[in-house]
Amino acid sequence: GQQVMQIPQYQHVQEGEDFTTYCNSSTTLSNIQWYKQRPGGHPVFLIQLVKSGEVKKQKRLTFQFGEAKKNSSLHITATQTTDVGTYFCAGWGGNKLVFGAGTILRVKS
Amino acid sequence: DAGVIQSPRHEVTEMGQEVTLRCKPISGHDYLFWYRQTMMRGLELLIYFNNNVPIDDSGMPEDRFSAKMPNASFSTLKIQPSEPRDSAVYFCASSSGRANEQFFGPGTRLTVL
């Protein structure tokens, strides 16, 4: 079945360092979404990518969708303590929506 | 709008009991999703509805789980009988359009003893 692998599982960075999480799908995705979940909270939508090779930016966050629409990345520049949480990717392949396992980000101040 | 509303926020029950989780989606949204989140399995899509009709229930773990959406403003997820391995946080989410942004509720933390 369709799978979305997300790496790394966990990353602990010093405040001010950059952070990247990657998603790889076993099948072509029609779109990919990114969500952030703070500890004890619920997932909150960050962005959606639809086009092959698409790049979108939100302040210090940069999102990319691969040319083959099978992989995506989220890059945070100069992390801050407010970036702490779990970042999930989610992709639709046909009628199936699959979430990645998430990357837990911890930031040391 | 108050966002997606879920109740109860916490539920503690004993093995074998019936559990009903409730969700009120955002008004006007035509898609409703039920998820389960555990440390071991992450965030899993259980079932989703479009205009109150179940579209994909392939994520429902077994026959003990059932979900209904009798109208556009209410959905339930029922577990009968409950087992300790059902302990998890259950989220409901809604969206306007299938592939659009999903708005998650605060979740129900279920503990089955």
Side-chain angles (χ1 to χ4, degrees), chain A residues 45-62:
Chain A
F45 177 84
L46 294 176
I47 208 160
Q48 176 169 271
L49 304 169
V50 178
K51 299 176 183 176
S52 169
E54 189 170 14
V55 178
K56 287 188 176 180
K57 293 191 176 185
Q58 287 181 350
K59 298 181 180 178
R60 294 179 295 104
L61 278 61
T62 302

Side-chain angles (χ1 to χ4, degrees), chain B residues 17-99:
Chain B
Q17 296 298 306
E18 177 179 298
V19 175
T20 299
L21 310 181
R22 296 172 176 79
C23 175
K24 176 179 168 52
I26 292 174
S27 177
H29 281 188
D30 55 347
Y31 279 83
L32 183 139
F33 304 81
W34 280 101
Y35 294 90
R36 177 173 68 177
Q37 187 174 42
T38 61
M39 289 295 292
M40 290 296 294
R41 300 177 67 90
L43 194 62
E44 301 173 277
L45 175 63
L46 300 177
I47 185 172
Y48 74 91
F49 295 83
N50 174 220
N51 291 324
N52 314 336
V53 175
I55 302 301
D56 184 0
D57 65 354
S58 60
M60 296 286 262
E62 47 197 277
D63 291 346
R64 298 185 296 107
F65 286 68
S66 62
K68 294 182 179 179
M69 193 165 185
N71 57 63
S73 60
F74 183 66
S75 178
T76 60
L77 178 68
K78 186 175 293 186
I79 308 172
Q80 165 65 16
S82 58
E83 296 183 3
R85 58 193 170 118
D86 301 330
S87 297
V89 179
Y90 290 82
F91 289 105
C92 173
S94 70
S95 67
S96 176
R98 189 194 74 164

Side-chain angles (χ1 to χ4, degrees), chain A residues 9 12 16 30 34 43 46 57 69 71 79 81 85 93-94 100-101 104 107:
Chain A
Q9 192 172 11
H12 200 170
S30 57
W34 285 92
L46 294 176
K57 293 191 176 185
K69 300 184 76 173
N71 56 73
T79 55
T81 54
I104 299 171
V107 180

